[in-house]
Amino acid sequence: MVVFQVSRKETTPFDGQKPGTSGLRKKVSVFIKPNYLHNFVQSTFNALSADKVKGATIVVSGDGRYFSKDAIQIIIKMAAANGVRRVWVGQNGLLSTPAVSAVIRERVGADGSKASGAFILTASHNPGGPHEDFGIKYNMENGGPAPETITDKIYANTKTIKEYLIAEDLPDVDISAVGVTHFNGPEGDFDVDVFDSTNDYVKLMRAIFDFESIRKLLVSPKFTFCYDALNGVAGIYAKRIFVEELGAKESSLINCIPKEDFGGGHPDPNLTYAKELVTRMGLGKSSPQDEPPEFGAAADGDADRNMILGKRFFVTPSDSVAIIAANAVEAIPYFASGLKGVARSMPTSAALDVVAKNLGLKFFEVPTGWKFFGNLMDAGLCSICGEESFGTGSDHIREKDGIWAVLAWLSILAYKNKNNFNGEKLVTVEDIVVQHWATYGRHYYTRYDYENVDAAAAKELMAYLVNLQSSLSDVNKIVKEIRTDVSNVVQADEFEYKDPVDGSISKHQGIRYLFEDGSRLVFRLSGTGSEGATIRLYIEQYEKDSSKTQRNSQEALAPLVDVALKLSKMQEFTGRSAPTVIT
Ligand code: VG1
Ligand code: CO
């Protein structure tokens, strides 16, 4: 057995190691600076209680992006030096973010060990490669992202750090082969356990969904399917689940081999970046070569996001979570005994609110970022939740879950068609959504992103909007000068959240303008970018009249878009005449 020593290395703090909405994300060129990663990892160990480090089992893996393999070796050596007992690594360093959450919650080691946390190596939907982004975040024992109390401590530690511990002479571990490697250090044994990246997650999905009924749908000649992993880690799960377990054709998978640079693209499942899928589904500028599939879906780099498409049809993520919630009890065995409650992030449309009200479910509105759902779920208050940013999930884990969302939609389709496989025509994704609007009304919704704007200009714009809020009558005067065909602004504020479980308060979580007819404008600065600032503008309008729920969304929202852009002086502040991405 290899014996290692522990060295204490002197270091000095780096600026800007504050974890954002979902961990620390920076350019690879920043992460590879000597000690940069080391400082953050040691600051994390120092922020955790001793029993979560000494003698503990921790998971280290990610979406496989460039620099992951080096980062894993560094973290293994630092874990060994900090007295960690075992490090679990997914084969080749690959684990989707939802799979990490599942592994923390469900996996039991051969010796009965359970993980107490995980370093997840991903910058999610941000591009990867030597000139792009890397990221790291820490998840806790419940499988969810570290709460702000911990991330604040990590950040404070990064500002004062003087030394870190590392087992420099520990040889690199071969993470390409499953198996356990034993080492011995000053504090005793240390193991690195490389395990299959998909098994634990697949087992969990089998326990949640009725695989047999989904299989019937996927093998039916009437049903066609396409899944695009955008070269991210979702590919390995898609192959295992959709093809091997559920009988989909191998040719229904596109971009399903994980690449370190995601093939040079943005691994972001939306109508702009998932180009190949969007064209195949008949939603692109050019017509597809073949008849589009009945169902299409895509994931982001770390497979926690999902985009759901029908033939020539886009499902907004806000509608998607509402529709899953409305159908879960009938269509998904895991929810058969009822939903504990539902939740959405503040900028997500109120489609879910209407479902909750109709079904008499507990409902929560939380700030942006999945970490806010965790407390509700741990307290048994929430079963299904979602964000407008293509994130949907449930209390089976403590992360959003891209493959789960696809299985949820396939379950709903399988349920709606269960007596229909011999009939004329299948109930389609579009049929389900249109029917949902007819029942609950429709929330027209769009998001404008202004990426990589000058950070100072973005701050000024936000400050301007907050200032404006001091007088509602002034706001309404300006609004009416811009358009007369929108209703009155009845509330203007910054969203603030008090966690109903632990009472913690999160302030400045987005600037809101709420209109009398239920329409909303929301402005936020992104917390996941790695350069400059990204302004997000969310625009929503509720239409109850079922004769008006099938309008073109951009047309329906045009008056509000006009108001939002002029009210915020978007072009004046940012110099941008158009957003980078519209979803
Ligand atoms: C964005 C989304 C947010 C999501 C976060 C992490 O954050 O708006 O809803 O939870 O990304 O998603 P922001 O602060 O940039 O708006 V992922 O897939 O990057 O883990
Ligand atoms: Co992600």
Side-chain angles (χ1 to χ4, degrees):
M1 199 189 308
V2 180
V3 177
F4 64 85
Q5 302 300 317
V6 171
S7 337
R8 286 181 180 274
K9 293 277 178 192
E10 269 183 32
T11 186
T12 48
F14 287 92
D15 280 340
Q17 290 199 320
K18 185 176 170 61
T21 312
S22 187
L24 180 68
R25 295 181 189 178
K26 297 282 178 212
K27 291 282 169 222
V28 166
S29 57
V30 175
F31 263 104
I32 60 175
K33 284 184 187 160
N35 297 346
Y36 190 89
L37 175 68
H38 304 70
N39 277 14
F40 188 79
V41 170
Q42 189 64 51
S43 297
T44 304
F45 281 134
N46 296 350
L48 299 170
S49 62
D51 62 309
K52 300 282 181 272
V53 182
K54 294 249 179 263
T57 300
I58 63 165
V59 187
V60 181
S61 279
D63 62 13
R65 67 180 55 227
Y66 183 83
F67 189 57
S68 296
K69 290 195 166 133
D70 296 331
I72 288 171
Q73 300 297 344
I74 292 170
I75 297 171
I76 289 174
K77 292 180 173 70
M78 291 187 64
N82 277 276
V84 168
R85 173 68 184 82
R86 279 172 218 88
V87 174
W88 288 352
V89 183
Q91 192 173 9
N92 296 313
L94 295 179
L95 280 177
S96 71
T97 294
V100 171
S101 193
V103 163
I104 297 176
R105 295 170 67 82
E106 308 283 339
R107 186 171 193 260
V108 182
D111 52 3
S113 48
K114 292 271 295 159
S116 65
F119 284 101
I120 309 184
L121 309 178
T122 175
S124 194
H125 55 284
N126 300 6
H131 304 294
E132 298 295 349
D133 287 4
F134 186 74
I136 179 168
K137 69 170 185 167
Y138 196 78
N139 276 32
M140 309 293 284
E141 209 164 8
N142 71 347
E148 280 180 345
T149 44
I150 299 286
T151 53
D152 287 349
K153 253 192 216 167
I154 296 173
Y155 180 47
N157 290 345
T158 65
K159 291 195 281 191
T160 55
I161 188 164
K162 293 195 175 68
E163 60 171 26
Y164 62 83
L165 304 181
I166 189 162
E168 277 179 304
D169 54 356
L170 194 89
D172 279 1
V173 177
D174 175 10
I175 57 169
S176 68
V178 168
V180 182
T181 316
H182 302 285
F183 300 98
N184 194 269
E187 294 182 55
D189 290 340
F190 173 70
D191 295 342
V192 178
D193 178 356
V194 179
F195 62 100
D196 182 277
S197 308
T198 57
N199 281 345
D200 302 278
Y201 182 77
V202 173
K203 203 170 134 204
L204 184 60
M205 292 302 114
R206 274 187 164 283
I208 293 171
F209 297 102
D210 177 354
F211 270 35
E212 253 333 287
S213 73
I214 300 176
R215 190 182 171 84
K216 268 193 209 136
L217 176 77
L218 279 175
V219 300
S220 158
K222 284 197 210 151
F223 187 76
T224 38
F225 169 78
C226 183
Y227 188 80
D228 188 346
L230 295 175
N231 303 301
V233 72
I236 61 172
Y237 301 90
K239 184 157 192 287
R240 212 19 234 288
I241 295 177
F242 301 134
V243 175
E244 289 168 24
E245 303 268 334
L246 295 169
K249 293 197 192 81
E250 184 109 36
S251 59
S252 49
L253 304 184
I254 54 178
N255 303 312
C256 275
I257 296 169
K259 295 202 178 107
E260 285 196 333
D261 66 349
F262 307 109
H266 280 251
D268 195 352
N270 58 39
L271 293 174
T272 304
Y273 292 130
K275 271 199 204 78
E276 195 175 340
L277 177 73
V278 166
T279 304
R280 275 213 199 190
M281 297 304 293
L283 284 163
K285 288 201 180 84
S286 51
S287 341
Q289 285 181 322
D290 304 307
E291 176 69 5
E294 287 298 332
F295 182 91
D300 70 336
D302 62 332
D304 57 355
R305 295 188 180 205
N306 73 91
M307 175 168 69
I308 303 291
L309 303 174
K311 186 182 289 187
R312 302 188 189 92
F313 191 81
F314 169 64
V315 185
T316 71
S318 298
D319 278 348
S320 175
V321 64
I323 291 166
I324 292 173
N327 291 284
V329 173
E330 278 101 9
I332 303 172
Y334 179 83
F335 300 113
S337 60
L339 302 181
K340 294 168 184 153
V342 294
R344 63 164 171 85
S345 68
M346 184 274 283
T348 303
S349 95
L352 184 62
D353 313 29
V354 182
V355 171
K357 208 166 168 207
N358 255 266
L359 303 182
L361 297 171
K362 284 197 192 77
F363 169 80
F364 302 90
E365 181 182 34
V366 309
T368 296
W370 210 260
K371 55 185 176 239
F372 294 101
F373 294 121
N375 266 359
L376 299 175
M377 292 179 166
D378 287 345
L381 294 170
C382 171
S383 298
I384 291 177
C385 54
E387 295 189 287
E388 53 62 44
S389 54
F390 299 86
T392 330
S394 99
D395 62 350
H396 65 290
I397 53 170
R398 295 294 180 270
E399 289 280 2
K400 53 189 183 268
D401 191 339
I403 297 260
W404 174 93
V406 174
L407 290 171
W409 267 91
L410 292 173
S411 301
I412 295 169
L413 283 162
Y415 175 76
K416 302 264 183 201
N417 285 297
K418 69 175 186 295
N419 301 315
N420 206 21
F421 288 117
N422 303 316
E424 295 270 287
K425 185 183 165 288
L426 290 182
V427 175
T428 65
V429 170
E430 181 170 357
D431 295 338
I432 292 171
V433 177
V434 169
Q435 180 57 51
H436 186 90
W437 293 338
T439 312
Y440 297 100
R442 175 173 179 188
H443 293 79
Y444 288 101
Y445 192 86
T446 189
R447 183 176 109 182
Y448 282 29
D449 291 336
Y450 297 81
E451 292 175 359
N452 209 352
V453 169
D454 176 68
K459 264 196 187 148
E460 276 171 37
L461 179 144
M462 299 304 271
Y464 172 76
L465 282 170
V466 172
N467 239 325
L468 215 57
Q469 296 187 323
S470 57
S471 161
L472 264 191
S473 65
D474 284 357
V475 168
N476 277 310
K477 225 189 309 155
I478 302 174
V479 168
K480 293 295 168 192
E481 271 165 26
I482 303 169
R483 299 287 295 213
T484 47
D485 54 350
V486 297
S487 71
N488 278 327
V489 176
V490 288
Q491 191 182 333
D493 61 9
E494 283 190 272
F495 182 62
E496 192 174 305
Y497 178 66
K498 182 170 182 201
D499 187 304
V501 181
D502 65 17
S504 61
I505 290 175
S506 305
K507 294 186 177 175
H508 310 296
Q509 296 296 322
I511 298 170
R512 307 192 290 185
Y513 287 86
L514 312 179
F515 294 72
E516 201 168 2
D517 65 354
S519 299
R520 295 194 308 170
L521 300 178
V522 175
F523 298 83
R524 271 184 73 247
L525 289 183
S526 155
T528 57
S530 62
E531 256 182 347
T534 293
I535 300 171
R536 303 202 195 286
L537 160 59
Y538 311 80
I539 300 159
E540 169 181 357
Q541 186 189 325
Y542 185 37
E543 182 56 70
K544 264 187 271 187
D545 180 347
S546 61
S547 69
K548 294 186 188 152
T549 53
Q550 292 199 57
R551 297 176 63 195
N552 170 291
S553 163
Q554 292 301 330
E555 255 171 51
L557 292 168
L560 277 172
V561 170
D562 202 14
V563 169
L565 298 183
K566 289 180 184 150
L567 181 73
S568 63
K569 302 191 175 174
M570 188 63 84
Q571 186 160 2
E572 257 177 88
F573 279 113
T574 65
R576 301 281 177 89
S577 57
T580 326
V581 178
I582 298 182
T583 45

